[in-house]
């Protein structure tokens, strides 16, 4: 309802403003061009985020100071804390970085974004930047139309900067002309009333424009021509800082619980920083004067002093909050808990990870691992083996041959609860991912989708196998019980190996899957060789032999599918490099040939 | 040299077939070295195996490892 009313109201206000004052039109056009430039700039940097930025992000966020530094540097270079926030939420949601690292980056981004005020106050207002804007726009737009992705990216960045400069120029001109007709400084409010009033205005302006950068440019340009007082400008800057969290909160709505926690951290940081700045405003003003004196900023250079203030209060915010990051993580984890019934919900796949191919790929892989984990439990229970037995180091042969315990579980119900929804999400996200990415990425998504399909197939085959496992696990027929236990042992072995691979056990690697497959093949061969003799000695009936052969076929499929899925998921090069490890994998025929070697 | 040529040159350096093939060969060689280490480990363990079951498993691991090395060598010579 509010959304429907808001847009027409804004249009009416702007329309009235344009009618009353041509200068207001110029300022508004400047803001629009500036915002348009921001989107161009973000698109440009987004072109170059495919790889380098993600690799740096993944490697440089293992310590809080590194995460903060990353936030400062990346935001300074890209001049967009929104883009850094989006990347951080995307990586956090996909499970590549932890919440503490994400919070560190957001703290750093808040500090990095203050360099914008320095650039505008120190450069944008001193130089006739419209002279740079025009060539930048022309060169930029020519490059935007090039076919090369990199040139296109450079084009967007140049055009974006050109538009930013042009926007600042129009805003400056507008405010200067505005001064001749109306002096906005007459509406200045002193004291704490002014502080709260203008902080509120700063919040509102940033929420409407969805950019604290744009608000800050307006503040600096208005301050440079004396349309607002220095004190009120400080309050507006504090408000802009708080208002920018609304953008983060809106952005987190489509993210998972991790993205929401990060938006929470952003809100807490900016609110705390804002409160500190308001409470200690006199001390901050004094400190800004002292610093300005020492670095040679003139006492009446209020725009640069505003930049000093902006950096100073964000720096104080980082210094105050950094020691409490661990506590903040605990609070946020309690306030925004992970979905309890995560077995049915996707843990990693959500809209926020679709921002970049890398984050989507990592999220699809992690979700497939989640599916694998759920499937392994169903398969283990389907052959009446506890997951704790699989995860332990007990001798599987002895434990399984010596146990007649039956685990009663409805595989159909389990499939519906913990497999189907995950498999659908993996298929959906990886299917939609293929449209706009290079063949390397498309192949990886295809492989992960195939792994997911094989896992699902293994669960379905377990359902068929379960019937006779249940019947013969406690059977008086020793031969049938022994053979079905052998089938269970072979499946349990692959489940144990996968469990070890998942835990990163140093004693195993993905190539051991082939040995496991050969072992299972030998076991099946031995059973098939024994069947005739068992029938002859009447140890089993021909009907039992038929069931056994069918179930050997199911066990073969289960082991083959789990092996293939394991190779896709646990190959060290599966995500970052072309699939070199796959070259030495043995095919079914090669395994069969090895099983014929007598010496094995 | 214009910007297009510079970016083309950079792309060329990064994406040529030759560079990709060299990268792939290096990966395979690394893999073979790893497998050769495993082979040596299994060969050393076989005489020390305490049970027949353990010996059989180690021999099986050795056979698979050698088959994987052979596949890697074959890919390298292609």
């Amino acid at each position: 309802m509010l959304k429907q009313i808001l847009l027409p109201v804004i249009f009416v206000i702007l329309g009235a403003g344009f009618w009353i004052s041509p200068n207001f039109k110029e300022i508004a056009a400047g803001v629009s061009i500036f915002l348009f430039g921001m989107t161009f700039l973000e698109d440009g940097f987004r072109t170059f985020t495919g790889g380098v930025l993600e690799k740096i992000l993944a490697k440089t966020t293992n310590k809080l100071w590194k995460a903060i530094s990353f936030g400062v540097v990346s935001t300074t270079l890209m001049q967009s804390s929104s883009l850094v926030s989006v990347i951080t939420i995307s990586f956090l949601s996909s499970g590549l970085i932890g919440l503490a690292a994400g919070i560190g980056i957001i703290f750093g981004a808040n500090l990095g974004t203050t360099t914008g005020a320095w650039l505008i106050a120190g450069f944008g207002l001193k130089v006739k930047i419209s002279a740079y804007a025009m060539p930048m726009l022309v060169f930029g737009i020519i490059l935007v139309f090039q076919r090369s992705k990199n040139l296109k990216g450079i084009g967007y960045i140049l055009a974006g900067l050109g538009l930013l400069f042009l926007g600042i120029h129009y805003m400056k001109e507008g405010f200067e002309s505005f001064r001749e007709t109306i002096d906005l400084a007459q509406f200045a409010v002193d004291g704490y009333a002014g502080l709260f009033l203008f902080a509120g205005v700063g919040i509102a302006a940033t929420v409407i424009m969805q950019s604290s950068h744009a608000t800050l440019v307006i503040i600096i340009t208005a301050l440079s021509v004396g349309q607002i007082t220095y004190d009120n400008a400080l309050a507006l800057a504090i408000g802009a800082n708080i208002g920018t969290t609304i953008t983060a909160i809106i952005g987190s709505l489509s993210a998972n619980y991790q993205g929401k926690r990060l938006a929470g951290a952003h809100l807490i940081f900016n609110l705390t920083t804002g409160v500190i700045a308001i409470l200690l405003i006199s001390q901050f003003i004094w400190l800004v004067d002292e610093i300005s004196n020492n670095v040679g900023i003139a006492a009446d250079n209020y725009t640069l002093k505003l930049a000093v203030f902006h950096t100073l209060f964000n720096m104080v915010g980082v210094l105050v909050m950094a020691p409490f990051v661990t506590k903040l993580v605990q609070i946020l984890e309690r306030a925004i808990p992970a979905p309890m019934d995560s077995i049915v919900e996707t843990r990693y796949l959500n809209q926020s990870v679709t921002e970049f191919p890398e984050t989507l790929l990592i999220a699809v892989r992690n979700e497939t691992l989640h599916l694998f984990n759920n499937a392994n439990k169903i398969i283990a229970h389907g052959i009446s083996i506890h997951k704790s037995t699989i995860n332990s180091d007990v001798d599987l042969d002895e434990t399984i041959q010596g146990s007649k315990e039956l685990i009663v579980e409805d595989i159909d119900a389990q499939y519906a609860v913990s497999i189907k929804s995950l498999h659908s999400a993996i298929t959906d996200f990886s299917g939609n991912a293929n449209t706009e990415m290079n063949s390397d990425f498309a192949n990886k998504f295809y492989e992960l989708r195939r792994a997911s399909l094989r896992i699902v197939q293994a669960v379905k085959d377990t359902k068929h196998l379960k019937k006779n496992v249940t019947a013969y696990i406690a059977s008086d027929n020793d031969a049938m019980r022994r053979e079905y236990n052998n089938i269970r042992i072979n499946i349990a072995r692959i489940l144990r190996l996968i469990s070890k691979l998942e835990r990163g056990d140093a004693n195993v690697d993905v190539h051991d899957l082939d040995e496991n497959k050969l072992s299972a093949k030998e076991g099946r061969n031995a059973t098939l060789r024994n069947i005739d003799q068992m029938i002859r000695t009447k140890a089993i009936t021909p009907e039992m032999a038929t069931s056994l052969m069918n179930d050997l076929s199911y066990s073969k499929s289960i082991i083959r599918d789990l092996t293939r899925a394991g190779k896709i998921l646990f190959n060290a090069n599966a995500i970052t490099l072309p699939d070199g490890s796959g070259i030495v994998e043995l095919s079914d025929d090669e395994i069969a040939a090895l099983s014929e070697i007598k010496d094995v | 040299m214009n910007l297009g040529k510079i970016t083309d040159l950079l792309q060329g350096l990064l994406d040529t077939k030759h560079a990709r093939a060299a990268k792939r060969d290096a990966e395979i060689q690394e893999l073979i070295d790893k497998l050769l280490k495993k082979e040596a480990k299994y060969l050393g363990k076989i005489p020390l195996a305490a049970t027949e079951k353990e010996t059989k498993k180690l021999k099986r691991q050795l056979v698979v490892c050698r088959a994987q090395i052979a596949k890697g060598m074959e890919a390298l010579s292609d």
Side-chain angles (χ1 to χ4, degrees):
Chain A
M1 183 67 184
L2 188 71
K3 237 180 181 179
Q4 285 171 327
I5 297 168
L6 197 63
L7 193 64
V9 167
I10 290 172
F11 269 53
V12 169
I13 293 170
L14 284 173
F18 296 161
W19 187 58
I20 295 165
S21 165
N23 300 325
F24 177 69
K25 196 160 56 186
E26 206 169 356
I27 296 166
V31 175
S32 306
I33 294 168
F34 185 88
L35 288 172
F36 192 47
M38 291 280 286
T39 59
F40 258 59
L41 206 60
E42 284 192 12
D43 283 345
F45 280 113
R46 213 175 265 267
T47 314
F48 296 104
T49 56
V52 181
L53 191 64
E54 286 76 3
K55 277 175 196 157
I56 297 170
L57 182 61
K59 281 181 188 166
T60 58
T61 52
N62 55 345
K63 291 209 165 65
L64 184 66
W65 70 266
K66 283 189 189 175
I68 294 173
S69 307
F70 176 86
V72 174
V73 174
S74 57
T75 312
T76 302
L77 290 175
M78 296 193 285
Q79 284 298 303
S80 170
S81 60
S82 305
L83 184 59
V84 175
S85 296
V86 166
I87 293 170
T88 312
I89 288 177
S90 197
F91 271 75
L92 188 63
S93 298
S94 69
L96 193 76
I97 59 168
L99 184 60
I103 291 172
I105 295 170
I106 293 299
F107 284 5
N110 269 285
L111 197 51
T113 199
T114 65
T115 55
W118 285 94
L119 286 173
I120 300 156
F123 173 71
L125 299 176
K126 302 276 180 290
V127 189
K128 194 170 164 44
I129 52 171
S130 58
Y132 295 95
M134 300 304 173
M136 276 181 166
L137 267 172
V138 174
F139 289 128
I141 296 297
I142 291 170
L143 289 173
V144 163
F145 287 110
Q146 299 303 306
R147 240 190 297 173
S148 156
K149 194 183 154 201
N150 290 347
L151 290 180
K152 233 183 227 292
I154 294 168
Y156 274 113
I157 293 170
L158 270 180
L161 285 171
L163 288 167
L164 289 190
F165 288 178
L166 198 64
I168 294 169
H169 167 75
Y170 276 117
M171 279 188 252
K172 203 171 131 189
E173 296 273 304
F175 274 116
E176 272 171 4
S177 309
F178 212 42
R179 192 174 46 177
E180 289 158 16
T181 49
I182 306 166
D183 183 13
L184 286 177
Q186 65 182 307
F187 300 110
V189 181
D190 292 333
Y192 271 95
L195 196 59
F196 286 113
L197 176 69
F198 279 86
V201 173
I203 292 172
T206 309
V207 169
I208 292 168
M209 291 188 289
Q210 295 277 298
S211 166
S212 60
H213 231 63
T215 310
L216 217 61
V217 174
I218 296 174
I219 299 166
I220 292 168
T221 45
L223 182 65
S224 72
V225 294
Q227 284 285 39
I228 49 171
T229 64
Y230 173 59
D231 287 354
N232 289 162
L234 301 183
L236 282 164
I238 295 168
N241 238 44
I242 298 170
T244 196
T245 56
I246 308 294
T247 317
I249 288 166
I250 292 169
S252 76
L253 291 178
S254 65
N256 68 358
Y257 63 97
Q258 289 279 43
K260 290 186 174 74
R261 284 172 180 170
L262 194 68
H266 200 175
L267 180 69
I268 291 168
F269 174 82
N270 284 26
L271 277 179
T272 310
T273 310
V275 168
I276 291 171
I278 288 172
L279 290 176
L280 303 176
I281 191 73
S282 310
Q283 287 80 357
F284 270 114
I285 291 172
W286 171 81
L287 200 56
V288 168
D289 287 340
E290 287 296 309
I291 292 168
S292 301
N293 278 340
N294 285 320
V295 295
I297 296 170
D300 60 347
N301 192 342
Y302 293 118
T303 51
L304 271 181
K305 280 168 77 173
L306 177 69
V308 174
F309 171 74
H310 197 215
T311 302
L312 194 65
F313 88 80
N314 272 290
M315 197 180 277
V316 168
V318 172
L319 291 174
V320 168
M321 295 293 289
F324 301 106
V325 166
T326 315
K327 189 77 193 156
L328 190 58
V329 168
Q330 287 170 355
I331 292 168
L332 288 163
E333 281 174 349
R334 265 203 306 273
I336 307 166
M340 284 305 286
D341 195 10
S342 57
I343 203 158
V344 287
E345 285 179 18
T346 56
R347 276 186 195 157
Y348 306 96
L349 289 173
N350 54 72
Q351 279 310 310
S352 68
V353 300
T354 61
E355 291 283 345
F356 308 99
E358 288 83 359
T359 49
L360 181 57
L361 188 66
I362 292 160
V364 170
R365 181 180 179 270
N366 285 342
E367 204 64 73
T368 314
L369 279 171
H370 180 202
L371 172 78
F372 211 1
N373 213 20
N374 291 354
N376 288 354
K377 191 177 173 191
I378 296 174
I379 294 167
H381 288 181
I383 54 171
S384 283
I385 299 172
H386 289 287
K387 197 78 197 290
S388 55
T389 307
I390 300 287
N391 291 339
S392 70
D393 282 325
V394 296
D395 188 295
L396 285 174
D397 295 34
E398 278 178 25
T399 311
I400 292 170
Q401 292 288 7
S403 164
K404 291 182 179 178
E405 187 194 356
L406 192 65
I407 299 177
V408 182
E409 245 175 40
D410 182 352
I411 289 194
D412 279 332
Q414 290 288 312
Y415 176 83
V417 167
S418 60
I419 299 291
K420 202 176 173 186
S421 58
L422 296 187
H423 177 57
S424 302
I426 291 163
T427 308
D428 182 25
F429 277 83
S430 57
N432 287 333
N434 284 346
T435 50
E436 279 182 9
M437 52 186 62
N438 66 39
S439 60
D440 270 357
F441 267 108
N443 285 339
K444 303 263 181 234
F445 280 109
Y446 171 72
E447 285 285 297
L448 288 172
R449 209 163 59 229
R450 225 157 52 98
S452 174
L453 194 64
R454 284 181 179 271
I455 294 164
V456 169
Q457 196 54 50
V459 173
K460 287 180 177 173
D461 285 334
T462 305
K463 186 185 146 189
H464 297 297
L465 182 64
K466 185 179 192 273
K467 194 180 140 200
N468 285 331
V469 165
T470 308
Y472 291 112
I473 199 168
S475 166
D476 291 336
N477 186 318
D478 288 344
M480 284 300 270
R481 198 178 62 248
R482 189 185 60 242
E483 293 305 334
Y484 272 93
N485 279 343
N486 283 337
I487 289 175
R488 293 169 68 211
I489 289 166
N490 281 330
I491 296 174
R493 278 185 187 149
I494 178 91
L495 293 177
R496 177 174 280 181
L497 181 53
I498 285 165
S499 164
K500 284 183 176 179
L501 287 169
E502 199 178 350
R503 293 198 305 264
D505 190 322
N507 295 317
V508 294
D509 65 45
V510 73
H511 304 299
D512 293 329
L513 286 163
D514 279 336
E515 186 274 324
N516 194 82
K517 206 168 150 189
L518 176 61
S519 166
K521 169 83 180 154
E522 286 171 4
R524 276 196 309 277
N525 286 352
T527 304
L528 286 169
R529 280 195 298 268
N530 285 341
I531 282 180
D532 285 344
Q533 198 196 348
M534 286 192 285
I535 295 172
R536 271 200 306 274
T537 56
K538 301 209 184 301
I540 63 171
T541 64
E543 289 75 21
M544 286 175 176
T546 309
S547 297
L548 188 55
M549 281 192 287
N550 281 340
D551 289 333
L552 279 172
S553 175
Y554 283 128
S555 79
K556 180 186 173 183
S557 300
I558 293 166
I559 291 166
R560 185 196 59 211
D561 286 334
L562 292 179
T563 302
R564 188 60 214 145
K567 281 179 181 177
I568 294 169
L569 287 168
F570 299 115
N571 189 336
N573 295 335
I575 296 299
T576 54
L577 295 167
D579 198 358
S581 295
I583 282 165
V584 300
E585 278 175 20
L586 303 182
S587 67
D588 284 355
D589 288 343
E590 285 163 337
I591 295 278
L594 287 181
S595 73
E596 299 302 322
I597 299 172
K598 291 276 183 292
D599 199 28
V600 179
Chain B
M1 193 182 284
N2 66 29
L3 198 62
K5 276 188 182 168
I6 295 169
T7 49
D8 283 349
L9 189 71
L10 284 171
Q11 272 179 343
L13 281 171
L14 294 170
D15 292 324
T16 57
K17 273 186 182 175
H18 180 74
R20 276 173 178 254
K23 194 177 165 190
R24 177 182 166 274
D25 283 356
E27 275 178 49
I28 298 170
Q29 190 55 58
E30 197 182 324
L31 210 57
I32 291 171
D33 292 344
K34 204 172 141 191
L35 289 168
L36 284 169
K37 273 186 193 162
K38 272 176 95 172
E39 184 193 22
K41 187 179 87 179
Y42 296 142
L43 279 170
K45 274 187 173 180
I46 288 172
L48 306 172
T51 61
E52 196 188 329
K53 191 176 143 191
E54 206 181 321
T55 309
K56 201 172 174 190
K57 185 175 166 71
L58 284 165
K59 280 187 176 175
R60 197 187 305 115
Q61 283 172 325
L62 186 65
V63 167
V64 169
C65 189
R66 281 177 173 164
Q68 288 169 336
I69 292 169
K71 275 197 92 170
M73 294 285 199
E74 199 183 313
L76 212 51
S77 64
D78 280 346

